[in-house]
Amino acid sequence: MTLLVTGATGFVMSVLARHWLDAFPNERVAVLDAAAPDAAALRYFASAADRLDVVVADVTHPAAWQAALAGSDITHIVHGATITPLSRGTAAESKREPEAENPGRIIDVNVMGTVAVLDWARALPKLERFIYVSSGAVYKHHGPDRPGEPLPEEGFVMPRRLYGISKLASELITERYGDLFGLSTASVRLSSVYGTMDRITPSRNFRHVPNRIAHLAVQGAKRVRVNTLAAVGDYIHVEDAARAVVSLLRAPALRYGVYNVAAGRTATVGELVGWAAEKAPGFHAEITAAADADIVQDAALSGGMWGAYDISRIGAETGWQPRPVREALHAYMDWIASHETL
C-alpha cells in the first residue's frame, strides 16, 4: 500500500507521513509538495527515506505532478497541502492582516488544489480512502449554546477568514466528489496543533501558544511575558493528530463526513506555563501590557472555535484518544531538547 500525503514537507503532514512509515514498515509514502524537504525534514525522514518518494510540484498544476505519481500504486490519500496565513500572537503580528497580502493565491491553493487532487484521485483504480485535512477555523467564534459543552461537528459553522472559508469549501467539495464518484471520503477538523516538526515554513508562518511556551522554557528562559493567563485553546499534539488521521484511513468504514481531531478540553495559558515549569523549574509567566508581551491572547474568546472540541465521534468510530495535554506538552519539551536546531 502507498499513502499519498500532499504538503508533507511542512509541519503536520510530515509527522503524519512519518507515523505511517513507522506504523507500517512494509508500506510506502509518496509526498507531493511545492517545497522541497528542508534540512529538518531530511533528518526527520532519514530512517525511512528508502520508502519515501518526494514529488516537488505545485498542487494547482496537475500536469507537473501526475506523471511522476503514475506508478506509485496509491491506495490512500491525505490532502493537507494548504496556505496558512494566520500570523498572530505578538502585538506586532496581531496588527497585520496576512490574508490581504495575496488572497487569490489562498483560494487557488486551498480550494482549487483540492479540486485538482480529487479530479486525479477519482480515477485511481486502487484508492481506498481520501481524507481532507480541514481546520477548526471553519467554526463560529461562539457556541455551543450551553457553556462548557464541547463543540460538535454538526452546526456552529461560520468562517470569517479566507483560510476558514477555503477549508469549509474544500470539505463540501470533498464530500460531493465522494457522492458523485463512489469514493470513501472524510474531512478532519484539527484544533490548534503544536509539537514535533513545528517550525516556520513557506506556507505556514504561525506557532500556537504551547510551541512558544515550550521553546522558551527548554531554551532556559525564566519567564514568558503574556497579557493574560486566562485565555484558552484546545491544543492537540501533532503526533496525536497523526494517529487520529491514520485511524480513519485504516477504519473498515466511516459513518460520517467530518471528524473533529482535538484534545477535547481547553488549557489556559496559565496551565501551560505551570506544566512547562514542572520540567523547567523557575520558569514563570509575567503579566504585561499587550504591546510588550511575547504572547498576546484574548481571554474573551472561549467558545466556538476557541473552546473545547467534541471528539466522541472519532473515539467511537476508531477507538482513538489523545494523550492528556500535560503529558503531551512534556513530550514536546523533551523532543525540543533533543532537536536544538528547531
Side-chain angles (χ1 to χ4, degrees), residues 36-59:
D38 60 12
L42 290 173
R43 289 192 299 269
Y44 186 59
F45 285 120
S47 64
D50 60 326
R51 293 185 289 124
L52 185 72
D53 302 305
V54 179
V55 177
V56 179
D58 188 325
V59 71

Side-chain angles (χ1 to χ4, degrees), residues 235-237 240-241 243 262-264 311 314 319-325 328:
Y235 300 111
I236 179 75
H237 193 295
D240 292 327
R243 288 193 298 105
I311 56 173
I314 187 174
W320 172 84
Q321 290 293 325
R323 288 170 291 179
V325 181

Side-chain angles (χ1 to χ4, degrees), residues 16-29 45 48-49 51-52:
L16 170 66
R18 173 66 184 271
H19 177 69
W20 178 278
L21 291 167
D22 290 345
F24 310 110
N26 296 320
E27 300 181 12
R28 302 186 64 84
V29 167
F45 285 120
R51 293 185 289 124
L52 185 72

Side-chain angles (χ1 to χ4, degrees), residues 217-218 273-283 326-327 329-335:
V218 172
V273 172
W275 292 329
E278 292 175 3
K279 293 184 72 67
F283 183 69
R326 173 179 174 272
E327 177 185 332
L329 179 68
H330 284 174
Y332 181 42
M333 292 176 69
D334 290 340
W335 189 83

Side-chain angles (χ1 to χ4, degrees), residues 10 25 37 87 124 128 148 168 173 177 194 227 233 275 309 319-320:
S87 285
L124 294 176
E128 297 179 17
L168 181 58
I173 291 167
Y177 265 73
Y194 73 96
N227 68 315
W275 292 329
Y309 290 42
W320 172 84

Side-chain angles (χ1 to χ4, degrees), residues 178-239:
D179 292 341
L180 287 171
F181 303 110
L183 305 176
S184 177
T185 66
S187 296
V188 291
R189 291 176 182 162
L190 305 183
S191 65
S192 298
V193 188
Y194 73 96
T196 309
M197 294 296 285
D198 190 354
R199 66 204 192 282
I200 301 300
T201 65
S203 62
R204 183 179 185 271
N205 56 5
F206 181 81
R207 294 184 184 221
H208 283 299
V209 173
N211 173 294
R212 295 168 181 246
I213 290 172
H215 273 272
L216 284 170
V218 172
Q219 291 164 2
K222 289 302 180 183
R223 66 174 185 176
V224 55
R225 296 173 300 175
V226 301
N227 68 315
T228 177
L229 292 175
V232 301
D234 187 324
Y235 300 111
I236 179 75
H237 193 295
V238 65
E239 292 176 2

